[in-house]
Amino acid sequence: MAIETVLVAGASGKTGREILHLLRNTDLHVRAMTRDPANVGRLTRLGADEVIVGDLLEQADADRAVSGVDTVLCAVGTKPGLDALTGGFVDGQGVINLADAASEAGVERFVFESSLGVGDAKAGLPLPARVLIGPILRAKDDSETHLRESGLTYTILRPGGLTTGPPSGEVVVGEGGDSVSGRISRADVARLMVAAPFTPEAENRTFEVVSHEGLRGSPKNVVPMTWVEPSVA
Ligand SMILES: NC(=O)c1ccc[n+]([C@@H]2O[C@H](COP(=O)([O-])OP(=O)(O)OC[C@H]3O[C@@H](n4cnc5c(N)ncnc54)[C@H](OP(=O)(O)O)[C@@H]3O)[C@@H](O)[C@H]2O)c1
């Protein structure tokens, strides 16, 4: 089936905004999600065709978000501070709710921005960082597992430390957990997230990703990938 309507969960976030920037040049119909009604105008100006206000920790909101959607790009995350102390992690139960909704709605492709340090990619993140965000990494591990068992066609991307700034265009993609370590710009991650649904090679796979210039140490298990970009309108 052709991809026509895309939900960007976490559209107001730093990766999400990079995704919107890339999608605005395509003929895809883009639905952006935020919890905050004050973001609606800004997301529309960034290229969203429609904006849905909702909280992924509420199953009903996740259900509404995926209605009529064929692809989900999930770039949600928990900000350190209040969000992390109150009411669960969007990285865990929120993503699980979204995957359940997507599965129920017959969504074709689900792309999830996870992280180095999760599951078998533990070694990719230095120990101090793993200790600092341990609960979030465990929540993401739960969502990764749930997604793999959901029956959805998924791609999980586990970026290294995220930076802002322009895309480098040169990413190093590893697979199998113990592969790459380092940093990558959100713009590079967004490019892979937007390409993943159009890249049959990426189906039902989990990749560790850093940029070539952000690579730390010697990479292992590098996989050559040819990412297919959506066509420009
Ligand atoms: N920081 C790093 O170095 C690093 C490294 C690897 C991976 N990551 C992961 O990469 C992802 C993206 O990070 P980022 O810094 O680009 O994101 P970010 O700027 O922190 O944005 C997070 C987004 O999540 C949304 N969100 C939070 N709780 C939500 C909820 N309950 N329901 C719906 N949406 C919710 C927020 O939307 P609203 O507030 O508008 O609702 C926001 O758009 C995160 O999962 C992060 O853990 C980060």
Side-chain angles (χ1 to χ4, degrees), residues 1-9 23 28-29 31 65-66 68-74 102 106-111 153 193-194 196-198:
M1 203 180 100
I3 294 169
E4 290 174 357
T5 303
V6 177
L7 171 72
V8 183
L23 290 177
L28 298 168
H29 183 90
R31 179 181 297 164
V66 298
V69 156
D70 42 56
T71 296
V72 171
L73 305 182
C74 178
V107 166
E108 301 276 318
R109 295 295 315 268
F110 195 114
V111 183
T153 301
M193 291 186 73
V194 167
F198 298 89

Side-chain angles (χ1 to χ4, degrees), residues 45-76:
R45 285 191 294 279
L46 288 172
D49 297 296
E50 55 173 310
V51 180
I52 185 162
V53 176
D55 184 340
L56 289 176
L57 291 170
E58 302 292 334
Q59 185 65 59
D61 288 0
D63 293 346
R64 273 194 306 123
V66 298
S67 173
V69 156
D70 42 56
T71 296
V72 171
L73 305 182
C74 178
V76 296

Side-chain angles (χ1 to χ4, degrees), residues 10-15 34-35 39 54-57 75-77 79 90-91 113-115 140 159-162 186:
S12 62
K14 294 193 271 308
T15 306
T34 177
R35 288 167 298 174
N39 284 330
D55 184 340
L56 289 176
L57 291 170
V76 296
K79 285 204 182 358
V90 70
D91 315 74
E113 183 177 19
S114 181
S115 180
K140 286 186 189 297
L162 295 177
R186 289 176 174 87

Side-chain angles (χ1 to χ4, degrees), residues 33 58 69 105-106 127 174 212:
M33 186 174 194
E58 302 292 334
V69 156
L127 181 62
H212 194 265

